[in-house]
Amino acid sequence: MLITSLLPLLARYSLGFDLVAGPDETVTLTIIPRKADPKSPALDSGEARPISITASAAEIDAELGRGVEGALGQLIATRKTLADQIAAQRQADEDAKVAAAEAAKAKAAKTTAAKPPAPTIPPKIQTPTRPPADARPEEPATLF
């Protein structure tokens, strides 16, 4: 029943198990989610948190026997929902980045097309070729 309960997690993660015997015939079963694909994004802390059950071996077997209705089954279903939400948010973020980049390209192209070409010939400045009519040769010319 353990593997059947874990199938929803196995679709998305690689799982590690740790079994530890405790006092008074208790057992601690820890299930550790890991990235299944090295190319996939890093797991969020909520996804990577280990699932730990401490009880007697008979109680753990009985809980696992309940399947999807048991605590482990419900926890796994909740984690799967969380992982689906995170994946959807990542995809929405990626789509928004692509849309923003395309909008920026379109705006840049529109701005470039709307600008008039820069003049290549500098404007001519009219400089006087003759001194003013009231200028005297013994005095320097003034701008005031």
Side-chain angles (χ1 to χ4, degrees):
M1 223 38 206
L2 175 65
I3 303 303
T4 305
S5 297
L6 295 176
L7 279 176
L9 284 179
L10 284 172
R12 188 176 303 266
Y13 309 106
S14 171
L15 300 175
F17 295 95
D18 189 26
L19 285 170
V20 177
D24 302 327
E25 296 183 9
T26 60
V27 176
T28 299
L29 168 65
T30 305
I31 303 165
I32 307 158
R34 298 184 189 117
K35 287 186 349 178
D37 182 11
K39 296 177 184 175
S40 65
L43 298 180
D44 289 340
S45 61
E47 290 180 284
R49 179 167 284 146
I51 300 169
S52 186
I53 302 171
T54 301
S56 69
E59 290 170 330
I60 291 175
D61 286 343
E63 187 60 37
L64 293 176
R66 293 180 61 198
V68 200
E69 301 298 320
L72 182 62
Q74 291 177 2
L75 180 62
I76 290 171
T78 302
R79 288 247 178 133
K80 184 176 183 318
T81 302
L82 173 66
D84 291 343
Q85 290 173 351
I86 290 170
Q89 184 61 44
R90 283 182 179 150
Q91 185 61 44
D93 288 347
E94 196 62 37
D95 293 344
K97 286 179 185 176
V98 169
E102 289 175 0
K105 284 180 186 176
K107 184 178 179 182
K110 185 177 178 182
T111 304
T112 304
K115 284 185 179 178
T120 56
I121 302 171
K124 291 187 177 184
I125 299 174
Q126 295 292 335
T127 57
T129 55
R130 295 184 290 179
D134 61 342
R136 296 186 194 156
E138 63 274 358
E139 294 180 9
T142 178
L143 297 176
F144 303 104

